Amino acid sequence: MRTVFVVGPDKKIKLMLSYPMSTGRNFDEVLRVVASLRLTARRKVATPVNWRPPENMENQFNKTVLAVVNDIFFSSKIDGAAKHAGVTLKYVTIEKDLLERAKADPAVIIFDLNFEAIHPIELIRKLKGTDELKHVSLLGYVSHVQTDLQRLAQEAGCDAVMPRSAFSKNLSQILMRHAGAGARQPS
């Protein structure tokens, strides 16, 4: 027997196809399943029997990340990680703009929870309290000692809150995972 395994980003087996040694593998089917897994990981849908990915499948994944950040030094670090991950990064510093841009279904919205001028906790509540926006992934970061702010963000609906150091260290991987993008080859 020959077996093809498809392993997800969470390191769990998503598919096993076993073939007898005398039968060739069907790589069109493997690619179809991978496209389906990518689609269903981003959307609450199921693909029907004989489903085929559209020609422009890659364009259906929004690789835009919104960043609610006002720290210029840290912004440059986020810029570099976004470039490495192959995602489009847009900074938003006005609540009205964020609520409007969130309707375009970004891959993730990153919040500097210390950006007090934009009132991030209230903004997270608004995003999660709006039916058309509550599915958008929200990721916040804080200093590791700000456990109360971390708790408030989680209670408001932030999907994940990380210490700034861990966020910074794993930024490229975080962006790739949320945007469904693979690392780009260096040019």
Side-chain angles (χ1 to χ4, degrees):
M1 288 294 240
R2 289 189 278 195
T3 304
V4 175
F5 296 93
V6 176
V7 180
D10 58 358
K11 307 290 188 245
K12 293 183 181 175
I13 295 174
K14 303 297 183 184
L15 170 79
M16 291 188 310
L17 288 172
S18 294
Y19 297 88
M21 292 298 284
S22 61
T23 304
R25 291 165 288 209
N26 183 342
F27 281 98
D28 287 337
E29 175 62 6
V30 173
L31 294 173
R32 184 189 79 84
V33 170
V34 169
S36 174
L37 290 169
R38 289 187 70 204
L39 176 65
T40 58
R42 301 272 302 139
R43 307 276 188 267
K44 293 193 182 234
V45 297
T47 54
V49 68
N50 295 327
W51 173 85
R52 292 277 171 221
E55 295 282 327
N56 65 345
M57 183 72 177
E58 277 303 308
N59 294 334
Q60 291 194 347
F61 294 101
N62 190 338
K63 294 181 180 166
T64 300
V65 172
L66 300 180
V68 184
V69 176
N70 71 337
D71 178 332
I72 294 171
F73 174 76
F74 204 62
S75 295
S76 67
K77 185 167 187 76
I78 296 172
D79 287 338
K83 198 174 282 187
H84 177 260
V87 300
T88 302
L89 180 65
K90 296 185 179 180
Y91 289 95
V92 186
T93 57
I94 299 171
E95 178 181 329
K96 180 182 171 191
D97 291 346
L98 178 64
L99 294 173
E100 191 59 38
R101 288 184 182 200
K103 292 176 185 174
D105 198 24
V108 65
I109 301 175
I110 297 170
F111 283 92
D112 176 351
L113 295 173
N114 287 301
F115 185 4
E116 294 177 10
I118 201 161
H119 306 290
I121 302 300
E122 292 173 29
L123 203 42
I124 290 167
R125 283 193 184 106
K126 282 184 184 177
L127 288 164
K128 289 300 183 175
T130 304
D131 283 341
E132 68 178 316
L133 301 177
K134 66 183 175 186
H135 69 280
V136 176
S137 293
L138 307 180
L139 174 64
Y141 64 86
V142 294
S143 166
H144 70 282
V145 296
Q146 293 179 297
T147 55
D148 288 342
L149 184 55
Q150 180 178 0
R151 182 184 45 76
L152 285 173
Q154 289 169 329
E155 288 172 357
C158 198
D159 298 300
V161 181
M162 303 177 72
R164 182 178 169 131
S165 58
F167 175 77
S168 177
K169 179 179 178 185
N170 299 299
L171 190 50
S172 289
Q173 293 87 353
I174 290 166
L175 294 177
M176 285 188 271
R177 185 182 75 231
H178 280 282
R184 291 170 44 182
Q185 297 300 316
S187 9

